[in-house]
Amino acid sequence: MRSGSGSGRRSVRAKAPGKVNVSLRVGPPRPDGYHSVASVYLAVSLFEEVRATATEAPGITVSLSPESTLDIDELEIPLDERNLAVRAAALMAEVSERPTGVHLEITKRVPVAGGMGGGSADAAAALLACNALWDGGLSRDELAHLAAELGADVPFALLGGAAVGLGVGDRLSPALATERLDWVLVLADFGLSTPAVFRELDRLRAAEGIEAEEPTDVEAGVLSAVRAGDAHALSHVLLNDLQRAAVSLAPDLRDTLGWGDSHGALASLVSGSGPTVALLAEDADSAAELADALAHRGVEALAVHGPVPGARILSDTLL
């Protein structure tokens, strides 16, 4: 809802969640350079925020908010047209009848290059905020079509909840899950390039003579466990084909995975292309205890839960 009065500049703030891949099968490289996947995405309670503010000057500018929980001075995030949120705003401007100049202020909370889709969440929030800012009138489905042009994870950041992703991850089917699952995210002090992790998986498979098959669906046991919020059942079926490639590139991840398994986590896996490690906990109390134990070791860890909703408008104001 809009608030304020007068002829001040309009500003819209939106948020979108990061995600964990609770199951990720990866096929062989395709002619276009991508890989087909079959994945179960779970949106978790770690959100990016984007504030889109109309400007008198044309064009799109971007900055990082000092309210970010990540150390923005250490982040290597492009603040130009390479930024996914900037690309999202530019795409929305192309389809809007009366776009203005816009400044995007991004509050970073999801690890950068951490396998949790933080950049995709920025893009989803920017799409939603600019659609409102410019009275674009696009429906959620229409925004999802635009989102698919920006990257495979952007449509899910719009959708949220839990979903099956096929193709390159952009063909989404809601999993209709509502029951809570608790996790601890173990953050790394470095990032991993998603393309590099996929290349390493291809290299490992070629070296071992493995011919990967095209994934066409996800395991039924994963979906039933997610829908039921059954952490014990899910712990037996967690899967990430990219995990061994991430560990190959960053061997220290093996210690993190092992620590979780020996300190009460029901299961541990690398999230997406890594290097964030997701520890599955029995419940919220267990997650809090795990996160505290890691903090005492000087390791940055966050207790989160999912599923949570996708991109949402937080405020629409006149400054």
Side-chain angles (χ1 to χ4, degrees), residues 52-65:
T53 303
T55 60
E56 293 183 3
I60 302 165
T61 56
V62 62
S63 64
L64 302 181
S65 169

PDB file of all heavy atoms in Angstrom, residues 52-65:
ATOM      1  N   ALA A  52      13.615   0.052  -4.914  1.00  0.00           N
ATOM      2  CA  ALA A  52      13.643   0.732  -6.209  1.00  0.00           C
ATOM      3  C   ALA A  52      13.045   2.120  -6.039  1.00  0.00           C
ATOM      4  O   ALA A  52      11.862   2.255  -5.695  1.00  0.00           O
ATOM      5  CB  ALA A  52      12.862  -0.059  -7.250  1.00  0.00           C
ATOM      6  N   THR A  53      13.855   3.149  -6.280  1.00  0.00           N
ATOM      7  CA  THR A  53      13.427   4.532  -6.085  1.00  0.00           C
ATOM      8  C   THR A  53      13.508   5.283  -7.408  1.00  0.00           C
ATOM      9  O   THR A  53      14.546   5.259  -8.077  1.00  0.00           O
ATOM     10  CB  THR A  53      14.307   5.233  -5.042  1.00  0.00           C
ATOM     11  OG1 THR A  53      14.255   4.499  -3.814  1.00  0.00           O
ATOM     12  CG2 THR A  53      13.826   6.655  -4.803  1.00  0.00           C
ATOM     13  N   ALA A  54      12.403   5.937  -7.780  1.00  0.00           N
ATOM     14  CA  ALA A  54      12.386   6.701  -9.033  1.00  0.00           C
ATOM     15  C   ALA A  54      13.369   7.862  -8.950  1.00  0.00           C
ATOM     16  O   ALA A  54      13.501   8.515  -7.909  1.00  0.00           O
ATOM     17  CB  ALA A  54      10.979   7.227  -9.314  1.00  0.00           C
ATOM     18  N   THR A  55      14.064   8.122 -10.053  1.00  0.00           N
ATOM     19  CA  THR A  55      15.017   9.226 -10.123  1.00  0.00           C
ATOM     20  C   THR A  55      14.677  10.133 -11.294  1.00  0.00           C
ATOM     21  O   THR A  55      14.080   9.690 -12.281  1.00  0.00           O
ATOM     22  CB  THR A  55      16.456   8.708 -10.286  1.00  0.00           C
ATOM     23  OG1 THR A  55      16.552   7.952 -11.502  1.00  0.00           O
ATOM     24  CG2 THR A  55      16.859   7.822  -9.122  1.00  0.00           C
ATOM     25  N   GLU A  56      15.043  11.415 -11.159  1.00  0.00           N
ATOM     26  CA  GLU A  56      14.802  12.347 -12.260  1.00  0.00           C
ATOM     27  C   GLU A  56      15.734  12.062 -13.434  1.00  0.00           C
ATOM     28  O   GLU A  56      15.351  12.206 -14.596  1.00  0.00           O
ATOM     29  CB  GLU A  56      14.986  13.788 -11.770  1.00  0.00           C
ATOM     30  CG  GLU A  56      13.943  14.226 -10.756  1.00  0.00           C
ATOM     31  CD  GLU A  56      14.129  15.679 -10.354  1.00  0.00           C
ATOM     32  OE1 GLU A  56      15.040  16.330 -10.915  1.00  0.00           O
ATOM     33  OE2 GLU A  56      13.371  16.154  -9.496  1.00  0.00           O
ATOM     34  N   ALA A  57      16.957  11.653 -13.140  1.00  0.00           N
ATOM     35  CA  ALA A  57      17.904  11.332 -14.208  1.00  0.00           C
ATOM     36  C   ALA A  57      17.543   9.989 -14.811  1.00  0.00           C
ATOM     37  O   ALA A  57      17.120   9.073 -14.097  1.00  0.00           O
ATOM     38  CB  ALA A  57      19.317  11.287 -13.659  1.00  0.00           C
ATOM     39  N   PRO A  58      17.681   9.840 -16.121  1.00  0.00           N
ATOM     40  CA  PRO A  58      17.374   8.555 -16.746  1.00  0.00           C
ATOM     41  C   PRO A  58      18.420   7.499 -16.388  1.00  0.00           C
ATOM     42  O   PRO A  58      19.486   7.818 -15.859  1.00  0.00           O
ATOM     43  CB  PRO A  58      17.419   8.886 -18.244  1.00  0.00           C
ATOM     44  CG  PRO A  58      18.359  10.048 -18.340  1.00  0.00           C
ATOM     45  CD  PRO A  58      18.142  10.851 -17.090  1.00  0.00           C
ATOM     46  N   GLY A  59      18.089   6.266 -16.679  1.00  0.00           N
ATOM     47  CA  GLY A  59      19.046   5.191 -16.463  1.00  0.00           C
ATOM     48  C   GLY A  59      18.833   4.462 -15.147  1.00  0.00           C
ATOM     49  O   GLY A  59      17.939   4.789 -14.354  1.00  0.00           O
ATOM     50  N   ILE A  60      19.690   3.465 -14.923  1.00  0.00           N
ATOM     51  CA  ILE A  60      19.587   2.603 -13.745  1.00  0.00           C
ATOM     52  C   ILE A  60      20.904   2.662 -12.982  1.00  0.00           C
ATOM     53  O   ILE A  60      21.974   2.444 -13.554  1.00  0.00           O
ATOM     54  CB  ILE A  60      19.298   1.141 -14.154  1.00  0.00           C
ATOM     55  CG1 ILE A  60      18.012   1.058 -14.982  1.00  0.00           C
ATOM     56  CG2 ILE A  60      19.204   0.244 -12.927  1.00  0.00           C
ATOM     57  CD1 ILE A  60      17.838  -0.255 -15.712  1.00  0.00           C
ATOM     58  N   THR A  61      20.820   2.988 -11.699  1.00  0.00           N
ATOM     59  CA  THR A  61      21.996   2.942 -10.841  1.00  0.00           C
ATOM     60  C   THR A  61      21.739   1.955  -9.715  1.00  0.00           C
ATOM     61  O   THR A  61      20.585   1.597  -9.428  1.00  0.00           O
ATOM     62  CB  THR A  61      22.323   4.325 -10.251  1.00  0.00           C
ATOM     63  OG1 THR A  61      21.170   4.816  -9.544  1.00  0.00           O
ATOM     64  CG2 THR A  61      22.690   5.307 -11.363  1.00  0.00           C
ATOM     65  N   VAL A  62      22.818   1.500  -9.074  1.00  0.00           N
ATOM     66  CA  VAL A  62      22.666   0.480  -8.031  1.00  0.00           C
ATOM     67  C   VAL A  62      23.709   0.700  -6.947  1.00  0.00           C
ATOM     68  O   VAL A  62      24.821   1.176  -7.207  1.00  0.00           O
ATOM     69  CB  VAL A  62      22.798  -0.944  -8.644  1.00  0.00           C
ATOM     70  CG1 VAL A  62      24.164  -1.157  -9.250  1.00  0.00           C
ATOM     71  CG2 VAL A  62      22.488  -2.019  -7.608  1.00  0.00           C
ATOM     72  N   SER A  63      23.324   0.381  -5.707  1.00  0.00           N
ATOM     73  CA  SER A  63      24.243   0.436  -4.581  1.00  0.00           C
ATOM     74  C   SER A  63      23.886  -0.678  -3.608  1.00  0.00           C
ATOM     75  O   SER A  63      22.813  -1.278  -3.695  1.00  0.00           O
ATOM     76  CB  SER A  63      24.174   1.799  -3.880  1.00  0.00           C
ATOM     77  OG  SER A  63      22.888   1.996  -3.302  1.00  0.00           O
ATOM     78  N   LEU A  64      24.801  -0.943  -2.680  1.00  0.00           N
ATOM     79  CA  LEU A  64      24.571  -1.941  -1.635  1.00  0.00           C
ATOM     80  C   LEU A  64      24.238  -1.234  -0.338  1.00  0.00           C
ATOM     81  O   LEU A  64      24.891  -0.267   0.044  1.00  0.00           O
ATOM     82  CB  LEU A  64      25.802  -2.831  -1.460  1.00  0.00           C
ATOM     83  CG  LEU A  64      26.261  -3.597  -2.704  1.00  0.00           C
ATOM     84  CD1 LEU A  64      27.484  -4.450  -2.374  1.00  0.00           C
ATOM     85  CD2 LEU A  64      25.141  -4.456  -3.264  1.00  0.00           C
ATOM     86  N   SER A  65      23.222  -1.717   0.355  1.00  0.00           N
ATOM     87  CA  SER A  65      22.759  -1.077   1.580  1.00  0.00           C
ATOM     88  C   SER A  65      23.708  -1.360   2.743  1.00  0.00           C
ATOM     89  O   SER A  65      24.174  -2.495   2.919  1.00  0.00           O
ATOM     90  CB  SER A  65      21.360  -1.584   1.936  1.00  0.00           C
ATOM     91  OG  SER A  65      20.993  -1.164   3.236  1.00  0.00           O
TER      92      SER A  65
END
